[in-house]
């Protein structure tokens, strides 16, 4: 009788632990296609760096290093890295405001947006020939991992392309990678695609933005993200506590049934 009772308790414990492990949220990562859906609580506007490139009065001091630091509105530190191009004619990265001339450079971001641009050769190689540029990628490293992040993205002088975003954790393990079709134009209509990712926990330590186009510069506007003070408890830990509790209950029952 005691053996049957103990077996029943162990069977019940196994069933409940299995159910908990299945029902507890995992660290799933999903694609986010709009800034409003991201529901961010912090952002980084590139104008905060104070180095804005004026295309009508170029100033070399406005160029950025290929690796630089920035701080979000709420004080989160970030590191940006854009690999140096092998072509010495390509400019370093820079920030410019998108608008119709003479106030800025037209793009298909919203008028007035400040864009981080990977760099290009300003002088065209011929009529209707796309400008050669640094294809990146643009890497964003968060000092403290976030739950979600994203930005709008476009490729210079390329009407249609594939836009890509990849997310990594603090161990540089790939969490997920997504790609969508995008377009570029000079219409200032805010049609630049949004590339965002969201995770169940604050484990996104790095984002990498890229495109399918070689030798074409890429640009992103303000970076939006979701920070979190605490994470959801690990499923295994919760299940372990439940398991220990059930096993203890079984042990007490077994002890009470002994003569």
């Amino acid at each position: 009788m005691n053996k049957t009772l103990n077996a029943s308790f162990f069977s019940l414990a196994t069933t409940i632990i299995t159910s908990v492990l299945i029902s507890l949220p995992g660290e799933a990562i999903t694609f986010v296609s709009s800034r409003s859906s991201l529901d961010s609580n912090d952002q980084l506007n590139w104008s905060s760096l104070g180095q804005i490139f004026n295309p009508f009065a170029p100033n070399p001091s406005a160029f950025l290093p290929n690796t630089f630091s920035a701080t979000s509105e709420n004080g989160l530190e970030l590191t940006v890295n854009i690999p140096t191009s092998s072509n010495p004619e390509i400019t370093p990265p820079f920030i410019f405001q998108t608008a119709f001339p003479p106030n800025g450079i037209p793009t298909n971001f919203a008028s007035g947006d400040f864009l981080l641009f990977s760099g290009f050769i300003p002088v065209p190689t011929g009529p209707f020939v796309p400008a050669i540029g640094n294809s990146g990628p643009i890497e964003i490293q968060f000092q403290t991992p976030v739950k979600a992040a994203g930005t709008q993205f476009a490729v210079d002088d390329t009407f249609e392309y594939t836009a890509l975003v990849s997310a990594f954790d603090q161990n540089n393990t790939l969490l997920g990678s997504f790609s969508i079709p995008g377009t570029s134009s000079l219409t200032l209509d805010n049609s630049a695609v949004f590339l965002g990712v969201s995770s169940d926990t604050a484990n996104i330590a790095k984002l990498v933005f890229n495109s399918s186009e070689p030798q074409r510069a890429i640009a992103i506007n303000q970076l939006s993200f979701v920070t979190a003070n605490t994470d959801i408890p690990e499923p295994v830990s919760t299940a372990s506590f439940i398991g220990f509790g059930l096993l203890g209950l079984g042990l007490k029952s077994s002890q009470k049934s002994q003569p």
Side-chain angles (χ1 to χ4, degrees), residues 1-8 253-254 256-259:
M1 184 68 178
N2 290 341
K3 291 183 178 180
T4 302
L5 184 61
N6 288 338
S8 298
S253 176
S254 174
K256 288 181 179 179
S257 63
Q258 291 178 0

Side-chain angles (χ1 to χ4, degrees), residues 45-66:
N45 192 309
W46 301 112
S47 63
S48 65
L49 272 67
Q51 293 179 246
I52 312 302
F53 184 82
N54 183 349
F56 305 102
N59 183 356
S61 66
F63 289 133
L64 296 167
N66 287 82

Side-chain angles (χ1 to χ4, degrees), residues 33-122:
S33 60
S34 70
R35 200 178 300 272
S36 59
S37 298
L38 195 74
D39 196 22
S40 63
N41 59 9
D42 200 0
Q43 72 169 5
L44 171 62
N45 192 309
W46 301 112
S47 63
S48 65
L49 272 67
Q51 293 179 246
I52 312 302
F53 184 82
N54 183 349
F56 305 102
N59 183 356
S61 66
F63 289 133
L64 296 167
N66 287 82
T67 298
F68 61 90
S69 298
T71 306
S72 74
E73 290 184 356
N74 291 336
L76 180 63
E77 297 292 329
L78 301 91
T79 300
V80 180
N81 180 61
I82 302 172
T84 304
S85 173
S86 59
N87 188 333
E89 295 184 68
I90 292 177
T91 68
F94 59 87
I95 297 164
F96 71 90
Q97 188 170 29
T98 182
F100 287 122
N103 299 316
I105 304 173
T107 68
N108 66 330
F109 290 85
S111 180
D113 277 3
F114 289 91
L115 308 184
L116 173 62
F117 189 68
S118 59
F120 73 141
I121 299 176

Side-chain angles (χ1 to χ4, degrees), residues 170-226:
Q170 285 183 302
N171 297 318
N172 208 35
T173 300
L174 178 65
L175 298 172
S177 187
F178 306 92
S179 63
I180 58 171
T183 61
S184 294
S185 69
L186 307 178
T187 55
L188 294 174
D189 60 359
N190 200 31
S191 63
V193 294
F194 187 85
L195 297 176
V197 294
S198 178
S199 178
D200 291 339
T201 62
N203 61 346
I204 301 171
K206 182 174 73 172
L207 290 182
V208 178
F209 299 98
N210 208 348
S211 88
S212 59
E213 303 302 308
Q215 296 187 324
R216 296 290 177 269
I218 58 178
I220 59 175
N221 64 356
Q222 63 268 21
L223 186 70
S224 299
F225 43 93
V226 179

